[in-house]
Every structure is written in C-alpha cells, then in structure tokens.
C-alpha cells in the first residue's frame, strides 16, 4: 500500500476515503464493506500494554486498549514519517511511535514530540482513528462510516447459554466460508461421522428463506448428526440460519437426541447456536471467528466445544479453499443452484442486490 504526505489544506480528493495520509485509490473501494463493521480480533487478545496489528480490507491497522478499557483502532501509520505504530509501544496510556517517539493519547492526538518537549504539537499531528467497538467477545472496526449497528447476538446476554469463542480459522474467500456455514447438504461428505452420515445422506426437505431489514433467515432444516453437538451424542438437528451482514451469520439448532438409550440426557429446550464473523483481510483471504452458545445441562467444557469446532472448521477449510473462482459468483448464471441450496442462492442474490463488488464475481 502507498501512503502520501498529509495535505496541509486537508483532503482534496473526492475519493470515498479521504483520510489524511491515504491514497483514495488504495485497497477496497466497496462502500458496502467500508461502511460495515468487521471483526478484527478477539476481545481478550487486545489488552492494555500491547499493540495489536491487523489487516482489514487491505488496510494495515493497529488495535489497542487503553487503561480505561476503551478500544482504539487506528491506521498503523505515524503521521510524522509513516512508521508503523504497531512496532512501537504503550507508555503511560499513550502509543509511542518507534521512530522518533511521538506520543499519541487515546483521542489520537500527538501530545509529545521528544525532539521538542516544550512545544505543543500542531493540531494536525494526530493518528488516524477508525470506529471501534468491543462487543460479543470481538473487537470490531469500521473504516468508513457505520451504516448500521453490529448485528444482534441475543444469547450473548442470556445467562442460560454458555458462550465459548472458537478460532481463528483461516479461509480464502470470506463469502465462500459464510455460504458454507449455511449449507447443510455438505455435512454427510465433509463432516462424515460428525455432522452427517456418509452412507445415508439426509434428503433435504423444502425450506423457506425470508428477507427483511435484518437480512435473510431460513425456516428449519432437518439433518441427522452422529456427533452433532459437544456432548458427542447422536442427534436429529433442526437448523435455522440467519445471514445478517455480508460477513456475519448465525445459526441456531434445536437438538433432539436420536439414541433411545440416551434420550434422558436431552431436553426439549436444548439448543446450540453459533455467531460467525469473517474478517476480510483482502478479497480472497479471511479469518473466521465464532462464538458458540449452548444451553445444555450439564454444559460441555470449553475444551469440548473448541475441540469439535476446530475439527469441523478444519474439514470445511480443506474443501472451501479449493473452490474456484475464489471470488464468489453473485450472478446466479454462474455455477449451478439446486432447490436444496436455496439459502446459498439467496445469499448471492442478496450480496448482488446490496451492490457488494469486493471479493465477488459477476456484479459489475
Ligand atoms: S515516524 Fe513516528 S515519530 Fe517519526
Ligand atoms: Fe461445514
């Protein structure tokens, strides 16, 4: 990525990202994604005293947490001579640039230039902050202007659900990863013996997908799962899916224990849910992070939940990362769509109608 010197008269370009120091033609130009919230880290990774470099939509950013617990996500760039702030350090609640030691406080203002300690730094001596939030166990950033709120995860605030963060899971296309997440027909093949039965694949009964302001949601899809939840007990699962943003999705499954000998372990209210996010590093590189929620009794250990998710997402990645073209075709004329792929079809059309071009194919 190229950076230019700050323009003293302010941004003169009419590009979509007129932040000082950046060429407007750099990186992602897709307004839908620029103005959306994206996960860039787990909350627990970003702790006071540590600078956490991340890449979002090809932009190098640095996340850090101040002494008050507030999260900051800035361009990973010092406005003085363009050094990477993430190579510096935190001292007295300020980010110190590794090159000439300029100190930036939580408001992104330079408050000390060690070469002229008596001088008050110029007003324009500032780091370049972005919108940041700490929510649902994740650090979120928006490098444009947030067009909507972070999608809801109701179980996060429901104490009857145990929440476990899992990942990060590397994927190529974030959209292909999201589409795979809402695809129950791959279970018998990609997750044989876990989420499906290889020798006896479930026929998928017709289901519906509805679109609203909140995105897409499906009616229940029934599947047979030998190891369908972290208890390791065979279940019939009824999946309901939601696609809330291009790279944020959710599933909830209703679980019915299918082994009569173990039926007593179940409860009609047993649910397993997953809130999934994919960080678009670039058009065909992404990082999936999830939170799983379970309300079983007894609750599985965090390690049991993670072990199962690590297995399933590794199985997914091994196939999903072979899909070509890597940029997902959003025009339905490309690739073949069957009735049982309804939610995937709807996802692609939804992306197309939303005008998502970054990382997609056929939406020009
Ligand atoms: S480049 Fe950061 S202080 Fe000089
Ligand atoms: Fe899968």
């Amino acid at each position: 990525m190229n950076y230019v010197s700050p323009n003293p008269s302010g941004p003169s370009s009419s590009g979509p990202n007129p932040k000082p120091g950046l060429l407007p033609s750099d990186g992602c130009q897709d307004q839908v994604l620029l103005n959306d919230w994206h996960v860039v880290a787990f909350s627990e990774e970003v702790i006071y005293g540590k600078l956490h470099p991340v890449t979002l939509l090809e932009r190098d950013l640095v996340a850090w947490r101040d002494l008050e617990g507030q999260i900051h996500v800035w361009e990973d760039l010092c406005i003085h001579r363009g050094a990477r702030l993430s190579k510096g350090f935190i001292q007295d609640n300020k980010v110190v640039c590794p090159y000439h030691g300029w100190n930036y406080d939580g408001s992104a203002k330079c408050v000390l230039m060690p070469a002229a300690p008596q001088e008050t730094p110029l007003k324009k001596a500032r780091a370049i902050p972005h919108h940041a939030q700490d929510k649902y166990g994740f650090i979120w950033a928006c490098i444009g202007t947030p067009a909507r709120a972070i999608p809801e995860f109701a179980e996060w605030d429901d104490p009857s659900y145990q929440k476990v963060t899992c990942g990060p899971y590397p994927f190529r296309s974030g959209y292909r990863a999201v589409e795979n997440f809402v695809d129950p027909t791959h279970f018998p093949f990609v997750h044989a013996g876990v989420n499906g039965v290889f020798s006896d694949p479930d026929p998928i009964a017709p289901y519906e997908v509805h679109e609203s302001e909140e995105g897409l949601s499906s009616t229940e899809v029934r599947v047979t799962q030998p190891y369908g939840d972290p208890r390791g007990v065979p279940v019939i699962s009824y999946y309901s899916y939601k696609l809330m943003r291009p790279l944020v999705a959710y599933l909830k499954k209703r679980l019915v224990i299918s082994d009569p000998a173990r039926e007593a372990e179940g409860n009609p209210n047993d649910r397993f849910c997953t809130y999934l996010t994919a960080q678009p590093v670039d058009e065909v590189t992404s990082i999936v992070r999830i939170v799983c929620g379970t309300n079983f009794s007894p609750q599985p250990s965090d390690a049991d939940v993670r072990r199962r998710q690590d297995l399933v997402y590794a199985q997914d990645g091994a196939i999903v990362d072979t899909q070509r073209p890597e940029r997902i075709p959003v025009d339905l004329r490309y690739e073949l769509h069957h009735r049982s792929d309804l939610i995937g079809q709807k996802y692609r059309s939804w992306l197309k109608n939303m005008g998502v071009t970054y990382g997609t194919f056929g939406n020009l």
Side-chain angles (χ1 to χ4, degrees):
M1 180 169 304
N2 300 313
Y3 290 104
V4 292
S5 302
N7 179 345
S9 60
S12 56
S13 153
S14 58
N17 250 311
K19 301 234 185 220
L22 278 175
L23 286 173
S25 56
D26 282 343
C28 173
Q29 302 295 306
D30 186 318
Q31 294 301 298
V32 179
L33 295 191
L34 288 173
N35 296 329
D36 208 353
W37 289 102
H38 301 281
V39 167
V40 294
F42 287 115
S43 300
E44 63 197 18
E45 294 177 284
V46 184
I47 52 172
Y48 177 72
K50 210 176 131 197
L51 291 162
H52 193 85
V54 300
T55 305
L56 176 63
L57 299 167
E58 298 169 52
R59 300 272 283 268
D60 294 324
L61 311 176
V62 58
W64 65 284
R65 189 186 294 274
D66 65 26
L67 271 177
E68 291 75 42
Q70 187 73 34
I71 284 291
H72 306 272
V73 177
W74 296 351
E75 286 293 316
D76 191 4
L77 174 87
C78 178
I79 205 74
H80 177 216
R81 288 286 182 272
R84 268 186 201 280
L85 291 174
S86 62
K87 297 278 188 199
F89 54 96
I90 303 216
Q91 192 171 55
D92 297 335
N93 216 14
K94 294 172 196 75
V95 174
V96 183
C97 177
Y99 200 178
H100 311 97
W102 286 21
N103 280 219
Y104 297 94
D105 71 9
S107 71
K109 216 168 75 176
C110 175
V111 291
L112 174 70
M113 298 179 299
Q118 309 305 332
E119 274 178 38
T120 304
L122 293 172
K123 240 177 150 175
K124 63 188 173 195
R126 287 172 55 79
I128 303 164
H130 295 294
H131 301 275
Q133 285 195 59
D134 184 350
K135 198 166 185 181
Y136 304 144
F138 300 126
I139 302 302
W140 300 77
C142 172
I143 59 179
T145 305
R148 43 176 67 227
I150 290 168
E152 194 193 1
F153 179 26
E155 289 80 6
W156 184 258
D157 296 314
D158 180 344
S160 65
Y161 279 82
Q162 164 187 254
K163 269 75 68 178
V164 184
T165 52
C166 304
Y169 303 122
F171 275 85
R172 297 292 293 159
S173 164
Y175 308 111
R176 295 269 197 195
V178 167
E179 185 183 68
N180 168 75
F181 175 72
V182 297
D183 169 16
T185 64
H186 74 275
F187 292 165
F189 306 97
V190 177
H191 309 297
V194 180
N195 275 342
V197 183
F198 179 74
S199 56
D200 190 15
D202 284 304
I204 301 295
Y207 61 93
E208 292 168 20
V209 176
H210 301 285
E211 182 172 348
S212 74
E213 256 300 287
E214 277 75 52
L216 304 175
S217 58
S218 79
T219 54
E220 283 188 334
V221 182
R222 179 193 187 278
V223 291
T224 311
Q225 304 198 300
Y227 175 25
D229 70 49
R231 293 175 292 193
V233 54
V235 289
I236 303 295
S237 292
Y238 297 84
Y239 278 76
S240 307
Y241 295 110
K242 283 188 194 172
L243 290 154
M244 301 181 289
R245 296 300 304 145
L247 295 163
V248 182
Y250 168 90
L251 68 77
K252 189 167 201 170
K253 57 183 181 180
R254 179 163 69 85
L255 300 154
V256 178
I257 292 181
S258 55
D259 178 354
R262 298 187 65 180
E263 210 178 325
E265 291 174 43
N267 179 302
N269 294 322
D270 285 350
R271 299 288 184 278
F272 174 93
C273 64
T274 301
Y275 185 95
L276 176 141
T277 70
Q279 170 188 348
V281 173
D282 62 31
E283 293 199 81
V284 289
T285 309
S286 65
I287 301 170
V288 167
R289 297 179 183 84
I290 63 174
V291 179
C292 295
T294 55
N295 69 351
F296 320 137
S297 179
Q299 293 194 322
S301 70
D302 289 8
D304 282 344
V305 174
R306 287 202 183 103
R307 189 166 27 249
R308 189 182 173 290
Q309 298 306 311
D310 290 353
L311 168 68
V312 166
Y313 283 79
Q315 291 173 333
D316 283 324
I319 301 298
V320 171
D321 287 352
T322 69
Q323 288 180 277
R324 288 148 296 155
E326 291 189 286
R327 292 171 54 159
I328 194 169
V330 291
D331 187 320
L332 298 185
R333 285 175 303 176
Y334 303 103
E335 301 191 339
L336 279 176
H337 305 278
H338 180 257
R339 159 186 76 65
S340 56
D341 305 315
L342 184 67
I343 193 158
Q345 290 176 52
K346 296 277 185 187
Y347 175 53
R348 295 183 185 203
S349 299
W350 183 60
L351 293 175
K352 185 172 194 296
N353 295 339
M354 225 185 276
V356 175
T357 52
Y358 190 78
T360 68
F361 174 75
N363 199 14
L364 296 171

